[in-house]
Amino acid sequence: MKLYTQPHRRFNPLTGEWVLVSPHRAARPWQGQVEPDFAAVPPAYDPDCYLCPGNARAGGARNPDYTSTLVFDNDFAALLPSAEEGPPPAEGSASPLFRAEATAGLCRVVCFSPRHDLTLPELPLPAVEAVIHTWAEQTLDLGRRPFINYVQVFENKGAVMGCSNPHPHSQIWAGEHLPDEPAKELAAQHAYRRAQGSCLLCDYLAAEEQEGARVVAANEHFVAVVPFWAIWPFEILLAGRRHLASLADLTPEEISGLAELLRRVLTHYDNLFSTSFPYSLGFHQAPTDGEDHSAWHLHLHAYPPLLRSATIRKFMVGYELLAMPQRDLTPELAAERLRAAGDRHYRA
Ligand code: H2U
Ligand code: ZN
């Protein structure tokens, strides 16, 4: 494996952005400390939880006695389906620099299971398959609507990530406008295909597998790497070996493969610092605007904030906010540490 010891910058071909890598600063001995996990284990059912079966939600609705996943419209949705064209916020202002427009959409919450205490890597494999199946179904159901042009599936996990409820759940925000992150990736994937005649992520995965250093885990259908251009210390990019554009295109075998690999990668995460690893993760899938997006390759990004222990996190401040992202630990070392963390859950 080639070791990078000098400050350098790496290019992210999916976004066209650079990251500064300063490996010499991480040359000091690895201070990864594993603190005892004092976090109270939550109960399997919490009578005060908005998401547990049978309980009342903040919006007044009551959850059914669900036994698998539960999907409901977010009671405090950030996007509303209203087709009403109110006056735009900048109407009547003197300058074209004040630009705004109405934007419609739908927001849903997807509870992973009735269990208040089981995160994705702790759920049995069929339950994780059910979650992915639900995400695929929702993508199809929402993406089909004429006013929905992009479906964002994501999970925000852990108080440190601003997650408001410990009951394992994800969210789906589906809207009329393509958000900025997928818009950058759309342009990059189309441009790559025009220039190379092949798919950016198909080529990238093949190159990563050939090199091996950044591969964390893989199975017949999916591969997970710490990407060459990772920003977060233990960032993951997970994508399929088959070129497909959307969760809705997954075959039942691929749903099982994705569930197995995701569960395994999240187990490596939890094991790394013997803690329930916080993160934001989500899928980037092709827009649902009816255009040709055959260059799009479905993938998942996981962005975890932790750096050295269950309590020491990386902050995106200073140079990162004002100039560009920066990291010390190389993606190669991060992948090595994740692999070494093992795939048997530390609480199992
Ligand atoms: P987090 O994933 O950030 O914890 O957010 C949970 C979502 O659940 C949040 O968007 C919604 C909040 O609006 N929610 C409901 O829709 N109903 C409730 O009763 C509680 C929370
Ligand atoms: Zn609950």
Side-chain angles (χ1 to χ4, degrees), residues 128-156:
V128 182
E129 290 171 350
V131 171
I132 293 169
H133 184 75
T134 303
W135 287 335
E137 246 176 21
Q138 288 295 315
T139 296
L140 202 61
D141 174 49
L142 292 163
R144 219 181 239 148
R145 297 166 195 233
F147 75 104
I148 299 293
N149 295 318
Y150 180 71
V151 180
Q152 181 62 60
V153 173
F154 66 97
E155 178 190 6
N156 235 3

Side-chain angles (χ1 to χ4, degrees), residues 50-51 56-61 63 72-78 107-109 154-157 161-167 169-171 173:
Y50 292 125
L51 304 179
R57 293 206 303 271
N63 296 323
F72 62 87
D73 286 326
N74 196 310
D75 297 308
F76 309 95
C107 297
R108 289 182 176 162
V109 177
F154 66 97
E155 178 190 6
N156 235 3
K157 178 175 171 242
M161 295 306 286
C163 180
S164 60
N165 189 311
H167 193 120
H169 67 280
S170 58
Q171 297 195 46
W173 293 19

